[in-house]
Amino acid sequence: MLLLISFISILIHGYAFSTGDQAIHIPQVLSRIDLQLFAQDYSVNIPEGQFTLFYPLMVGLIKLSRVDLQWLYFGLYLLIRFLLTLAIFDLAKTILKSEAKSFLATALLSLPLPIGGTAIATFDTAFMPRLLISPALIYGLTQIIKANYFKSAFISGLIFLIHPFSAISLSLIIFGSLIFYRHHPVKIFVILLIAFITASPLILTRLPMFLFGSPGWLMPPQWHQILTDRMPYLFLSDWSIVHWLSLGLFLLPVILRLKYPLVQAVFFTTITLTLIYFIFSETIPVTFLIQLQPLRIWTFLVFLAPILLVDLDFRLALVTLILLIFLDFRLALVTLILLIFIKLPSSFKLELPHQNQREWDQLQLWIRDNTSKDSLILTPPHRNGFRI
């Protein structure tokens, strides 16, 4: 059943290669396989590329397996999507204590749900660092609910090696939950130390580069304005009313289940840290804090909301589902069923490897095969993915 849910989810929402954030991630891998590629390309040789072990990991896997890049990414995507479905089912079963309800919650969560105005969803439709660690991220949340804090801290440290932003959000939930349940300060220190030690191979080697490459502890007004224009999702004041409304709808089942301590811990930790971030990102813009993107912490409440929705009174759940359908967030199971029967195979957005037929992709292939590696190519600024 879980395999079927995962498969249907992929068919509905599709899979893509060379689009979106992969325009950043894949060239990082290609440039490490062939050092002649992108040698003078600043967009590839950026400092941020050093703050993850994802790229060296993929290079090693490609060289070891000698599998074509597109097929390797597609295979890894299918595997991670299934592991994510397993992790979601485990989380739902931990909370709901019912297999039937857990299957329903897993079906709802098999779709990528928007996380407010953070510009991310609960999972990606392409293979990227954020998707690779997503099963571990959900498993880490499950361990927090089970009060296995030492295990969740270790998982957070491992996630940091691949996707530091997600690890930081998980660590914040761990820290907030420990304080909420009033654990001894020594225990809190030891648990956080476990996460730090696990992540130390990346922290100790890259932190000096991160600190010295920063524009200062307080972000200059010019940089702050550039980030506001370029990445408005980092600043709460730039979220649209639709973003806030979507987040509010997800919070509805959470608020109605606040009597549960585990829900209280995640909820109050998220709200408190969001308020702190608002102060130190807009009123007193601290560069280090903004760069860590702590608003990703909302991911956990958005994951919890459909699970708690399944456990609500039927009439209240139905009203919430109608609202979500009206806003086209496709959270309702009925929407999932309708899409399965209505969508024609020709309209699926599932791009199999080497089936890129877009004119933009054909142009890239022609240039790859007919120009030298050290050519300087000027591309339209509104189009991305050219380096892939």
PDB file of all heavy atoms in Angstrom, residues 18-20 22-24 27 30 38 41 359-368 371 375-380 383-388:
ATOM      1  N   SER A  18      16.902  19.031 -14.212  1.00  0.00           N
ATOM      2  CA  SER A  18      17.538  20.241 -14.770  1.00  0.00           C
ATOM      3  C   SER A  18      16.696  21.497 -14.591  1.00  0.00           C
ATOM      4  O   SER A  18      16.940  22.487 -15.261  1.00  0.00           O
ATOM      5  CB  SER A  18      17.893  20.072 -16.249  1.00  0.00           C
ATOM      6  OG  SER A  18      16.775  20.247 -17.094  1.00  0.00           O
ATOM      7  N   THR A  19      15.703  21.461 -13.703  1.00  0.00           N
ATOM      8  CA  THR A  19      14.895  22.659 -13.481  1.00  0.00           C
ATOM      9  C   THR A  19      15.001  23.096 -12.016  1.00  0.00           C
ATOM     10  O   THR A  19      15.426  22.342 -11.148  1.00  0.00           O
ATOM     11  CB  THR A  19      13.423  22.408 -13.826  1.00  0.00           C
ATOM     12  OG1 THR A  19      12.921  21.355 -12.986  1.00  0.00           O
ATOM     13  CG2 THR A  19      13.263  22.000 -15.269  1.00  0.00           C
ATOM     14  N   GLY A  20      14.562  24.320 -11.746  1.00  0.00           N
ATOM     15  CA  GLY A  20      14.527  24.813 -10.374  1.00  0.00           C
ATOM     16  C   GLY A  20      15.900  24.879  -9.727  1.00  0.00           C
ATOM     17  O   GLY A  20      16.889  25.271 -10.356  1.00  0.00           O
ATOM     18  N   GLN A  22      17.916  22.654  -9.087  1.00  0.00           N
ATOM     19  CA  GLN A  22      18.949  21.796  -9.671  1.00  0.00           C
ATOM     20  C   GLN A  22      19.899  22.595 -10.556  1.00  0.00           C
ATOM     21  O   GLN A  22      21.014  22.145 -10.825  1.00  0.00           O
ATOM     22  CB  GLN A  22      18.312  20.659 -10.476  1.00  0.00           C
ATOM     23  CG  GLN A  22      17.808  19.523  -9.594  1.00  0.00           C
ATOM     24  CD  GLN A  22      17.483  18.290 -10.411  1.00  0.00           C
ATOM     25  OE1 GLN A  22      17.102  18.371 -11.581  1.00  0.00           O
ATOM     26  NE2 GLN A  22      17.613  17.132  -9.793  1.00  0.00           N
ATOM     27  N   ALA A  23      19.462  23.771 -11.000  1.00  0.00           N
ATOM     28  CA  ALA A  23      20.348  24.647 -11.762  1.00  0.00           C
ATOM     29  C   ALA A  23      21.559  25.045 -10.930  1.00  0.00           C
ATOM     30  O   ALA A  23      22.601  25.425 -11.481  1.00  0.00           O
ATOM     31  CB  ALA A  23      19.590  25.897 -12.212  1.00  0.00           C
ATOM     32  N   ILE A  24      21.427  24.958  -9.602  1.00  0.00           N
ATOM     33  CA  ILE A  24      22.549  25.245  -8.704  1.00  0.00           C
ATOM     34  C   ILE A  24      23.283  23.970  -8.346  1.00  0.00           C
ATOM     35  O   ILE A  24      24.520  23.913  -8.366  1.00  0.00           O
ATOM     36  CB  ILE A  24      22.034  25.930  -7.419  1.00  0.00           C
ATOM     37  CG1 ILE A  24      21.317  27.240  -7.757  1.00  0.00           C
ATOM     38  CG2 ILE A  24      23.175  26.167  -6.435  1.00  0.00           C
ATOM     39  CD1 ILE A  24      20.619  27.862  -6.566  1.00  0.00           C
ATOM     40  N   PRO A  27      25.352  21.486 -11.490  1.00  0.00           N
ATOM     41  CA  PRO A  27      26.658  21.989 -11.935  1.00  0.00           C
ATOM     42  C   PRO A  27      27.751  21.846 -10.879  1.00  0.00           C
ATOM     43  O   PRO A  27      28.925  21.685 -11.216  1.00  0.00           O
ATOM     44  CB  PRO A  27      26.377  23.462 -12.251  1.00  0.00           C
ATOM     45  CG  PRO A  27      24.937  23.492 -12.613  1.00  0.00           C
ATOM     46  CD  PRO A  27      24.295  22.496 -11.706  1.00  0.00           C
ATOM     47  N   LEU A  30      28.909  18.340 -11.528  1.00  0.00           N
ATOM     48  CA  LEU A  30      29.597  18.218 -12.819  1.00  0.00           C
ATOM     49  C   LEU A  30      30.988  18.863 -12.789  1.00  0.00           C
ATOM     50  O   LEU A  30      31.932  18.340 -13.377  1.00  0.00           O
ATOM     51  CB  LEU A  30      28.755  18.861 -13.918  1.00  0.00           C
ATOM     52  CG  LEU A  30      27.377  18.241 -14.183  1.00  0.00           C
ATOM     53  CD1 LEU A  30      26.625  19.033 -15.245  1.00  0.00           C
ATOM     54  CD2 LEU A  30      27.529  16.780 -14.614  1.00  0.00           C
ATOM     55  N   PHE A  38      33.167  24.892 -16.275  1.00  0.00           N
ATOM     56  CA  PHE A  38      32.795  26.036 -15.440  1.00  0.00           C
ATOM     57  C   PHE A  38      33.976  26.597 -14.652  1.00  0.00           C
ATOM     58  O   PHE A  38      33.801  27.116 -13.549  1.00  0.00           O
ATOM     59  CB  PHE A  38      31.687  25.655 -14.441  1.00  0.00           C
ATOM     60  CG  PHE A  38      30.618  24.779 -15.024  1.00  0.00           C
ATOM     61  CD1 PHE A  38      30.385  23.511 -14.518  1.00  0.00           C
ATOM     62  CD2 PHE A  38      29.839  25.226 -16.080  1.00  0.00           C
ATOM     63  CE1 PHE A  38      29.395  22.703 -15.043  1.00  0.00           C
ATOM     64  CE2 PHE A  38      28.840  24.423 -16.602  1.00  0.00           C
ATOM     65  CZ  PHE A  38      28.621  23.155 -16.090  1.00  0.00           C
ATOM     66  N   ASP A  41      33.393  30.215 -13.924  1.00  0.00           N
ATOM     67  CA  ASP A  41      31.980  30.513 -13.732  1.00  0.00           C
ATOM     68  C   ASP A  41      31.706  30.760 -12.252  1.00  0.00           C
ATOM     69  O   ASP A  41      31.712  29.834 -11.444  1.00  0.00           O
ATOM     70  CB  ASP A  41      31.136  29.341 -14.236  1.00  0.00           C
ATOM     71  CG  ASP A  41      29.662  29.712 -14.368  1.00  0.00           C
ATOM     72  OD1 ASP A  41      29.210  30.559 -13.584  1.00  0.00           O
ATOM     73  OD2 ASP A  41      28.994  29.152 -15.242  1.00  0.00           O
ATOM     74  N   GLU A 359      12.678  22.951 -26.087  1.00  0.00           N
ATOM     75  CA  GLU A 359      13.615  23.651 -26.963  1.00  0.00           C
ATOM     76  C   GLU A 359      14.827  24.159 -26.190  1.00  0.00           C
ATOM     77  O   GLU A 359      15.947  24.145 -26.706  1.00  0.00           O
ATOM     78  CB  GLU A 359      12.909  24.824 -27.650  1.00  0.00           C
ATOM     79  CG  GLU A 359      11.895  24.406 -28.688  1.00  0.00           C
ATOM     80  CD  GLU A 359      11.264  25.592 -29.384  1.00  0.00           C
ATOM     81  OE1 GLU A 359      11.364  26.721 -28.852  1.00  0.00           O
ATOM     82  OE2 GLU A 359      10.695  25.395 -30.456  1.00  0.00           O
ATOM     83  N   TRP A 360      14.601  24.587 -24.960  1.00  0.00           N
ATOM     84  CA  TRP A 360      15.695  25.084 -24.129  1.00  0.00           C
ATOM     85  C   TRP A 360      16.721  23.983 -23.866  1.00  0.00           C
ATOM     86  O   TRP A 360      17.921  24.206 -23.895  1.00  0.00           O
ATOM     87  CB  TRP A 360      15.117  25.622 -22.820  1.00  0.00           C
ATOM     88  CG  TRP A 360      16.114  26.218 -21.862  1.00  0.00           C
ATOM     89  CD1 TRP A 360      16.368  25.802 -20.592  1.00  0.00           C
ATOM     90  CD2 TRP A 360      16.974  27.335 -22.082  1.00  0.00           C
ATOM     91  NE1 TRP A 360      17.326  26.582 -19.992  1.00  0.00           N
ATOM     92  CE2 TRP A 360      17.717  27.546 -20.888  1.00  0.00           C
ATOM     93  CE3 TRP A 360      17.196  28.192 -23.163  1.00  0.00           C
ATOM     94  CZ2 TRP A 360      18.661  28.562 -20.759  1.00  0.00           C
ATOM     95  CZ3 TRP A 360      18.134  29.206 -23.020  1.00  0.00           C
ATOM     96  CH2 TRP A 360      18.858  29.380 -21.833  1.00  0.00           C
ATOM     97  N   ASP A 361      16.244  22.763 -23.638  1.00  0.00           N
ATOM     98  CA  ASP A 361      17.153  21.641 -23.409  1.00  0.00           C
ATOM     99  C   ASP A 361      17.882  21.250 -24.690  1.00  0.00           C
ATOM    100  O   ASP A 361      19.075  20.921 -24.668  1.00  0.00           O
ATOM    101  CB  ASP A 361      16.370  20.435 -22.875  1.00  0.00           C
ATOM    102  CG  ASP A 361      15.773  20.713 -21.503  1.00  0.00           C
ATOM    103  OD1 ASP A 361      16.416  21.431 -20.716  1.00  0.00           O
ATOM    104  OD2 ASP A 361      14.665  20.225 -21.222  1.00  0.00           O
ATOM    105  N   GLN A 362      17.175  21.268 -25.806  1.00  0.00           N
ATOM    106  CA  GLN A 362      17.808  20.928 -27.077  1.00  0.00           C
ATOM    107  C   GLN A 362      18.916  21.917 -27.421  1.00  0.00           C
ATOM    108  O   GLN A 362      19.958  21.558 -27.962  1.00  0.00           O
ATOM    109  CB  GLN A 362      16.752  20.903 -28.192  1.00  0.00           C
ATOM    110  CG  GLN A 362      15.709  19.809 -28.032  1.00  0.00           C
ATOM    111  CD  GLN A 362      16.343  18.428 -27.977  1.00  0.00           C
ATOM    112  OE1 GLN A 362      17.207  18.092 -28.783  1.00  0.00           O
ATOM    113  NE2 GLN A 362      15.904  17.624 -27.019  1.00  0.00           N
ATOM    114  N   LEU A 363      18.689  23.187 -27.088  1.00  0.00           N
ATOM    115  CA  LEU A 363      19.705  24.211 -27.321  1.00  0.00           C
ATOM    116  C   LEU A 363      20.958  23.914 -26.493  1.00  0.00           C
ATOM    117  O   LEU A 363      22.086  24.010 -26.999  1.00  0.00           O
ATOM    118  CB  LEU A 363      19.145  25.591 -26.963  1.00  0.00           C
ATOM    119  CG  LEU A 363      20.127  26.767 -27.015  1.00  0.00           C
ATOM    120  CD1 LEU A 363      20.626  26.982 -28.430  1.00  0.00           C
ATOM    121  CD2 LEU A 363      19.470  28.037 -26.474  1.00  0.00           C
ATOM    122  N   GLN A 364      20.755  23.535 -25.248  1.00  0.00           N
ATOM    123  CA  GLN A 364      21.896  23.225 -24.382  1.00  0.00           C
ATOM    124  C   GLN A 364      22.692  22.038 -24.932  1.00  0.00           C
ATOM    125  O   GLN A 364      23.929  22.039 -24.946  1.00  0.00           O
ATOM    126  CB  GLN A 364      21.399  22.895 -22.975  1.00  0.00           C
ATOM    127  CG  GLN A 364      20.712  24.061 -22.265  1.00  0.00           C
ATOM    128  CD  GLN A 364      20.083  23.619 -20.965  1.00  0.00           C
ATOM    129  OE1 GLN A 364      20.738  23.058 -20.106  1.00  0.00           O
ATOM    130  NE2 GLN A 364      18.782  23.873 -20.819  1.00  0.00           N
ATOM    131  N   LEU A 365      21.975  21.007 -25.377  1.00  0.00           N
ATOM    132  CA  LEU A 365      22.643  19.817 -25.906  1.00  0.00           C
ATOM    133  C   LEU A 365      23.465  20.156 -27.159  1.00  0.00           C
ATOM    134  O   LEU A 365      24.573  19.651 -27.344  1.00  0.00           O
ATOM    135  CB  LEU A 365      21.609  18.735 -26.221  1.00  0.00           C
ATOM    136  CG  LEU A 365      20.866  18.158 -25.005  1.00  0.00           C
ATOM    137  CD1 LEU A 365      19.748  17.229 -25.455  1.00  0.00           C
ATOM    138  CD2 LEU A 365      21.832  17.420 -24.094  1.00  0.00           C
ATOM    139  N   TRP A 366      22.898  21.016 -28.011  1.00  0.00           N
ATOM    140  CA  TRP A 366      23.627  21.379 -29.236  1.00  0.00           C
ATOM    141  C   TRP A 366      24.913  22.122 -28.887  1.00  0.00           C
ATOM    142  O   TRP A 366      25.971  21.863 -29.447  1.00  0.00           O
ATOM    143  CB  TRP A 366      22.744  22.260 -30.126  1.00  0.00           C
ATOM    144  CG  TRP A 366      23.372  22.531 -31.473  1.00  0.00           C
ATOM    145  CD1 TRP A 366      23.216  21.810 -32.624  1.00  0.00           C
ATOM    146  CD2 TRP A 366      24.301  23.587 -31.778  1.00  0.00           C
ATOM    147  NE1 TRP A 366      23.979  22.344 -33.625  1.00  0.00           N
ATOM    148  CE2 TRP A 366      24.661  23.435 -33.142  1.00  0.00           C
ATOM    149  CE3 TRP A 366      24.870  24.625 -31.051  1.00  0.00           C
ATOM    150  CZ2 TRP A 366      25.551  24.297 -33.782  1.00  0.00           C
ATOM    151  CZ3 TRP A 366      25.751  25.471 -31.691  1.00  0.00           C
ATOM    152  CH2 TRP A 366      26.084  25.312 -33.032  1.00  0.00           C
ATOM    153  N   ILE A 367      24.819  23.083 -27.946  1.00  0.00           N
ATOM    154  CA  ILE A 367      26.007  23.855 -27.555  1.00  0.00           C
ATOM    155  C   ILE A 367      27.040  22.958 -26.888  1.00  0.00           C
ATOM    156  O   ILE A 367      28.243  23.103 -27.109  1.00  0.00           O
ATOM    157  CB  ILE A 367      25.598  25.018 -26.625  1.00  0.00           C
ATOM    158  CG1 ILE A 367      24.747  26.024 -27.419  1.00  0.00           C
ATOM    159  CG2 ILE A 367      26.809  25.692 -26.009  1.00  0.00           C
ATOM    160  CD1 ILE A 367      24.270  27.191 -26.614  1.00  0.00           C
ATOM    161  N   ARG A 368      26.582  22.011 -26.079  1.00  0.00           N
ATOM    162  CA  ARG A 368      27.514  21.088 -25.430  1.00  0.00           C
ATOM    163  C   ARG A 368      28.322  20.291 -26.465  1.00  0.00           C
ATOM    164  O   ARG A 368      29.529  20.069 -26.303  1.00  0.00           O
ATOM    165  CB  ARG A 368      26.736  20.107 -24.540  1.00  0.00           C
ATOM    166  CG  ARG A 368      27.632  19.107 -23.796  1.00  0.00           C
ATOM    167  CD  ARG A 368      26.826  17.949 -23.244  1.00  0.00           C
ATOM    168  NE  ARG A 368      26.258  17.146 -24.328  1.00  0.00           N
ATOM    169  CZ  ARG A 368      25.427  16.117 -24.135  1.00  0.00           C
ATOM    170  NH1 ARG A 368      25.042  15.808 -22.921  1.00  0.00           N
ATOM    171  NH2 ARG A 368      24.970  15.428 -25.168  1.00  0.00           N
ATOM    172  N   THR A 371      30.619  23.138 -29.057  1.00  0.00           N
ATOM    173  CA  THR A 371      31.521  24.198 -28.586  1.00  0.00           C
ATOM    174  C   THR A 371      32.544  23.609 -27.636  1.00  0.00           C
ATOM    175  O   THR A 371      32.339  22.531 -27.068  1.00  0.00           O
ATOM    176  CB  THR A 371      30.740  25.324 -27.858  1.00  0.00           C
ATOM    177  OG1 THR A 371      30.106  24.771 -26.699  1.00  0.00           O
ATOM    178  CG2 THR A 371      29.686  25.934 -28.761  1.00  0.00           C
ATOM    179  N   SER A 375      34.441  27.794 -23.666  1.00  0.00           N
ATOM    180  CA  SER A 375      33.665  28.849 -24.336  1.00  0.00           C
ATOM    181  C   SER A 375      32.918  29.701 -23.311  1.00  0.00           C
ATOM    182  O   SER A 375      32.514  29.210 -22.258  1.00  0.00           O
ATOM    183  CB  SER A 375      32.646  28.232 -25.306  1.00  0.00           C
ATOM    184  OG  SER A 375      33.310  27.509 -26.318  1.00  0.00           O
ATOM    185  N   LEU A 376      32.763  30.969 -23.654  1.00  0.00           N
ATOM    186  CA  LEU A 376      31.985  31.877 -22.819  1.00  0.00           C
ATOM    187  C   LEU A 376      30.595  32.000 -23.444  1.00  0.00           C
ATOM    188  O   LEU A 376      30.450  32.475 -24.558  1.00  0.00           O
ATOM    189  CB  LEU A 376      32.645  33.253 -22.750  1.00  0.00           C
ATOM    190  CG  LEU A 376      31.892  34.323 -21.948  1.00  0.00           C
ATOM    191  CD1 LEU A 376      31.804  33.914 -20.485  1.00  0.00           C
ATOM    192  CD2 LEU A 376      32.573  35.672 -22.082  1.00  0.00           C
ATOM    193  N   ILE A 377      29.569  31.532 -22.711  1.00  0.00           N
ATOM    194  CA  ILE A 377      28.205  31.522 -23.233  1.00  0.00           C
ATOM    195  C   ILE A 377      27.370  32.526 -22.461  1.00  0.00           C
ATOM    196  O   ILE A 377      27.294  32.480 -21.233  1.00  0.00           O
ATOM    197  CB  ILE A 377      27.571  30.119 -23.095  1.00  0.00           C
ATOM    198  CG1 ILE A 377      28.513  29.044 -23.666  1.00  0.00           C
ATOM    199  CG2 ILE A 377      26.226  30.073 -23.776  1.00  0.00           C
ATOM    200  CD1 ILE A 377      28.755  29.143 -25.142  1.00  0.00           C
ATOM    201  N   LEU A 378      26.738  33.445 -23.171  1.00  0.00           N
ATOM    202  CA  LEU A 378      25.838  34.410 -22.545  1.00  0.00           C
ATOM    203  C   LEU A 378      24.402  33.909 -22.716  1.00  0.00           C
ATOM    204  O   LEU A 378      23.968  33.648 -23.836  1.00  0.00           O
ATOM    205  CB  LEU A 378      25.996  35.793 -23.187  1.00  0.00           C
ATOM    206  CG  LEU A 378      27.411  36.384 -23.157  1.00  0.00           C
ATOM    207  CD1 LEU A 378      27.415  37.770 -23.796  1.00  0.00           C
ATOM    208  CD2 LEU A 378      27.934  36.454 -21.733  1.00  0.00           C
ATOM    209  N   THR A 379      23.682  33.779 -21.608  1.00  0.00           N
ATOM    210  CA  THR A 379      22.328  33.236 -21.653  1.00  0.00           C
ATOM    211  C   THR A 379      21.323  34.274 -21.161  1.00  0.00           C
ATOM    212  O   THR A 379      21.677  35.184 -20.412  1.00  0.00           O
ATOM    213  CB  THR A 379      22.211  31.979 -20.777  1.00  0.00           C
ATOM    214  OG1 THR A 379      22.450  32.351 -19.408  1.00  0.00           O
ATOM    215  CG2 THR A 379      23.230  30.936 -21.199  1.00  0.00           C
ATOM    216  N   PRO A 380      20.061  34.158 -21.565  1.00  0.00           N
ATOM    217  CA  PRO A 380      19.024  35.090 -21.084  1.00  0.00           C
ATOM    218  C   PRO A 380      18.942  35.047 -19.558  1.00  0.00           C
ATOM    219  O   PRO A 380      18.939  33.960 -18.969  1.00  0.00           O
ATOM    220  CB  PRO A 380      17.739  34.555 -21.725  1.00  0.00           C
ATOM    221  CG  PRO A 380      18.200  33.769 -22.907  1.00  0.00           C
ATOM    222  CD  PRO A 380      19.513  33.171 -22.515  1.00  0.00           C
ATOM    223  N   ARG A 383      16.241  32.781 -17.758  1.00  0.00           N
ATOM    224  CA  ARG A 383      16.220  31.339 -17.938  1.00  0.00           C
ATOM    225  C   ARG A 383      17.339  30.713 -17.110  1.00  0.00           C
ATOM    226  O   ARG A 383      18.476  31.193 -17.105  1.00  0.00           O
ATOM    227  CB  ARG A 383      16.422  30.969 -19.419  1.00  0.00           C
ATOM    228  CG  ARG A 383      15.384  31.529 -20.359  1.00  0.00           C
ATOM    229  CD  ARG A 383      13.983  30.997 -20.043  1.00  0.00           C
ATOM    230  NE  ARG A 383      13.904  29.566 -20.180  1.00  0.00           N
ATOM    231  CZ  ARG A 383      13.537  28.943 -21.285  1.00  0.00           C
ATOM    232  NH1 ARG A 383      13.228  29.636 -22.369  1.00  0.00           N
ATOM    233  NH2 ARG A 383      13.461  27.618 -21.329  1.00  0.00           N
ATOM    234  N   ASN A 384      17.024  29.623 -16.393  1.00  0.00           N
ATOM    235  CA  ASN A 384      18.069  28.969 -15.604  1.00  0.00           C
ATOM    236  C   ASN A 384      18.247  27.532 -16.081  1.00  0.00           C
ATOM    237  O   ASN A 384      17.560  27.061 -16.987  1.00  0.00           O
ATOM    238  CB  ASN A 384      17.744  29.017 -14.109  1.00  0.00           C
ATOM    239  CG  ASN A 384      16.460  28.270 -13.764  1.00  0.00           C
ATOM    240  OD1 ASN A 384      15.935  27.498 -14.554  1.00  0.00           O
ATOM    241  ND2 ASN A 384      15.948  28.506 -12.567  1.00  0.00           N
ATOM    242  N   GLY A 385      19.160  26.834 -15.462  1.00  0.00           N
ATOM    243  CA  GLY A 385      19.393  25.433 -15.783  1.00  0.00           C
ATOM    244  C   GLY A 385      20.328  25.190 -16.954  1.00  0.00           C
ATOM    245  O   GLY A 385      20.564  24.068 -17.344  1.00  0.00           O
ATOM    246  N   PHE A 386      20.898  26.279 -17.525  1.00  0.00           N
ATOM    247  CA  PHE A 386      21.707  26.110 -18.742  1.00  0.00           C
ATOM    248  C   PHE A 386      22.944  25.261 -18.486  1.00  0.00           C
ATOM    249  O   PHE A 386      23.371  24.505 -19.348  1.00  0.00           O
ATOM    250  CB  PHE A 386      22.130  27.489 -19.276  1.00  0.00           C
ATOM    251  CG  PHE A 386      22.965  27.408 -20.518  1.00  0.00           C
ATOM    252  CD1 PHE A 386      22.366  27.258 -21.755  1.00  0.00           C
ATOM    253  CD2 PHE A 386      24.346  27.463 -20.451  1.00  0.00           C
ATOM    254  CE1 PHE A 386      23.134  27.180 -22.919  1.00  0.00           C
ATOM    255  CE2 PHE A 386      25.122  27.373 -21.603  1.00  0.00           C
ATOM    256  CZ  PHE A 386      24.517  27.232 -22.833  1.00  0.00           C
ATOM    257  N   ARG A 387      23.527  25.359 -17.302  1.00  0.00           N
ATOM    258  CA  ARG A 387      24.781  24.659 -17.019  1.00  0.00           C
ATOM    259  C   ARG A 387      24.611  23.144 -16.914  1.00  0.00           C
ATOM    260  O   ARG A 387      25.579  22.399 -16.927  1.00  0.00           O
ATOM    261  CB  ARG A 387      25.387  25.181 -15.717  1.00  0.00           C
ATOM    262  CG  ARG A 387      25.799  26.653 -15.796  1.00  0.00           C
ATOM    263  CD  ARG A 387      26.115  27.206 -14.413  1.00  0.00           C
ATOM    264  NE  ARG A 387      26.527  28.586 -14.493  1.00  0.00           N
ATOM    265  CZ  ARG A 387      25.668  29.606 -14.552  1.00  0.00           C
ATOM    266  NH1 ARG A 387      24.376  29.393 -14.555  1.00  0.00           N
ATOM    267  NH2 ARG A 387      26.122  30.842 -14.624  1.00  0.00           N
ATOM    268  N   ILE A 388      23.378  22.687 -16.804  1.00  0.00           N
ATOM    269  CA  ILE A 388      23.148  21.240 -16.621  1.00  0.00           C
ATOM    270  C   ILE A 388      23.245  20.502 -17.942  1.00  0.00           C
ATOM    271  O   ILE A 388      23.837  19.446 -18.024  1.00  0.00           O
ATOM    272  CB  ILE A 388      21.776  20.999 -15.967  1.00  0.00           C
ATOM    273  CG1 ILE A 388      21.723  21.697 -14.611  1.00  0.00           C
ATOM    274  CG2 ILE A 388      21.499  19.517 -15.816  1.00  0.00           C
ATOM    275  CD1 ILE A 388      20.417  21.578 -13.908  1.00  0.00           C
TER     276      ILE A 388
END
